[in-house]
Amino acid sequence: MRASTEPVSPVAAAAPATAASPATALPADAAPDSITLTLTVPGLDSLLAPIDGVLAELGRGVLPPGSVDTVLAGGAQAADAVGSSLRSALDGIPWSGPAATAAGEVVARAAEAATALARESEALSVLAGRACEVVARGTAEVEAIAASFVATAAPLLPTAVTPAGAAALTALAQSAVMEAGAVAARVRAELDALGAEVSALIPPVVPAVPGASSVVTDAERFLRGTLDPSPAAPDAGPADSAPGHRAYDPAAGGTGREVVLPDGSTALAPNARAAEAVRFALAQQGTPYVWGGTTPGQGLDCSGLTQSAYGQAGVDIPRLAAEQSVGSPVSVENLMPGDLAVWDGHVAMVVGNGQLVEAGDPVSVSPVRTTNAGMTFHGFYRPTE
């Protein structure tokens, strides 16, 4: 019996013909004395198909013209231009008087908001660029894996008709596919991490910019104060509000701790933890505003500042501004250093003597208020009680 293959196998068996005895003679319709085996050897294209699938999933890491990175960069430039124009207008007009001062504060806050939005747009643009870099790097690695496989597998194709050759090619292909899959998994993990950074930047936090309703309120307050100089009654606050200064007076055995403010004056915090949080927050003055920032001295957003300050004092509070309405509610007349002013998209820390510290651009001290860009004000809260 003779065996042959297409392509021809290097393995062939041939036996010399021998005369058959009558007892073993084959019938006339017996099978022929040779068998032809046809083996199909897979080409490189079919072996590369799984790797091509990984490349298709990854893409090229190149955004088309006019995509999100271009839009964000343009938005950042526009916001910067608005902020610069507002500052120029503020510096170029010789305003004077209480009403003019109030109007100037509105313009200054609007300029701060424009600058903050510009920085936030820049941050998103940077994240988009980093995502493209991650994808492009992964694609280049997978392409290198495919090229290495082709260079190693091509010389082995003639041996694919043998069991050993086929096994070697299969092992090479499996190894290459596993390497490509590992790269794709890493790229997905890096993109997930970048997605988490994007989530931390949304919704935007606009620092200390009064909305239309707050402008009306400020104007009304100014007119009422001018026409009727008698002071308005303070907000009574919630019925179960935290106590005021007398309850914490150290001279009467209270837990109060004194803090020194930037102007040299002092104020009484309700306890050591609140005092430490205030000191930490005040030490961050000048730190740039960074959307989603949680790094003291380098970049902070509003809730990043307050969370870091209380974390330094050993008090754990939530990350998001709207969720930092923790502890005891506080009325206006009972405000003390360390109390938090909470809106649905902003938070600031009371430092005493009618002032609060917040992450504007940069972190700075401003007067206590209950308005912020038309946001809903949740109230004042004391996290340590």
Side-chain angles (χ1 to χ4, degrees):
M1 179 175 292
R2 182 174 69 256
S4 64
T5 62
E6 296 176 6
V8 178
S9 168
V11 180
T18 57
S21 64
T24 59
L26 294 173
D29 59 350
D33 64 351
S34 67
I35 298 176
T36 299
L37 301 177
T38 301
L39 301 179
T40 301
V41 179
L44 285 178
D45 288 345
S46 61
L47 293 173
L48 282 171
I51 299 179
D52 288 338
V54 173
L55 286 171
E57 178 185 349
L58 288 176
R60 305 303 304 177
V62 178
L63 293 173
S67 292
V68 62
D69 58 337
T70 305
V71 174
L72 288 170
Q77 293 175 358
D80 256 337
V82 170
S84 298
S85 298
L86 289 171
R87 289 188 182 88
S88 297
L90 186 62
D91 294 338
I93 300 176
W95 289 344
S96 62
T101 300
E105 290 177 356
V106 171
V107 175
R109 290 179 181 177
E112 289 181 8
T115 301
L117 289 173
R119 299 297 168 265
E120 291 157 0
S121 296
E122 289 172 356
L124 284 173
S125 181
V126 168
L127 288 174
R130 286 170 58 190
C132 289
E133 291 174 3
V134 167
V135 172
R137 184 168 59 250
T139 297
E141 289 182 41
V142 175
E143 287 177 340
I145 291 170
S148 176
F149 168 72
V150 170
T152 307
L156 298 179
L157 282 178
T159 69
V161 296
T162 67
L169 275 174
T170 300
L172 280 174
Q174 290 176 342
S175 176
V177 170
M178 289 180 63
E179 286 185 59
V183 172
R186 191 199 71 221
V187 168
R188 281 192 292 269
E190 292 181 23
L191 292 178
D192 287 342
L194 289 174
E197 292 188 47
V198 171
S199 298
L201 301 180
I202 299 173
V205 177
V206 181
V209 184
S213 61
S214 64
V215 173
V216 173
T217 301
D218 290 342
E220 181 182 90
R221 187 179 301 114
F222 169 74
L223 290 174
R224 287 184 182 276
T226 302
L227 299 175
D228 181 8
S230 58
D235 180 9
D240 57 346
S241 89
H245 298 71
R246 292 182 180 178
Y248 301 97
D249 187 353
T255 59
R257 293 291 187 275
E258 197 172 72
V259 293
V260 179
L261 303 184
D263 61 4
S265 63
T266 60
L268 185 68
N271 49 60
R273 292 179 299 170
E276 184 174 355
V278 170
R279 295 186 188 106
F280 182 91
L282 288 173
Q284 301 308 308
Q285 289 183 95
T287 299
Y289 177 85
V290 174
W291 196 358
T294 57
T295 307
Q298 296 184 23
L300 292 165
D301 66 7
C302 64
S303 54
L305 170 65
T306 50
Q307 185 188 48
S308 297
Y310 267 109
Q312 178 71 21
V315 180
D316 186 24
I317 63 176
R319 173 68 182 89
L320 299 180
E323 297 176 358
Q324 290 189 4
S325 52
V326 296
S328 300
V330 188
S331 61
V332 172
E333 67 269 22
N334 287 339
L335 285 178
M336 298 183 73
D339 294 344
L340 298 181
V342 183
W343 291 264
D344 55 8
H346 187 57
V347 63
M349 181 182 292
V350 174
V351 297
N353 296 348
Q355 302 174 81
L356 50 77
V357 62
E358 61 188 324
D361 194 14
V363 174
S364 57
V365 172
S366 57
V368 170
R369 66 183 189 282
T370 58
T371 57
N372 192 75
M375 299 177 185
T376 300
F377 183 59
H378 291 193
F380 296 101
Y381 292 85
R382 188 165 296 165
T384 55
E385 295 184 358

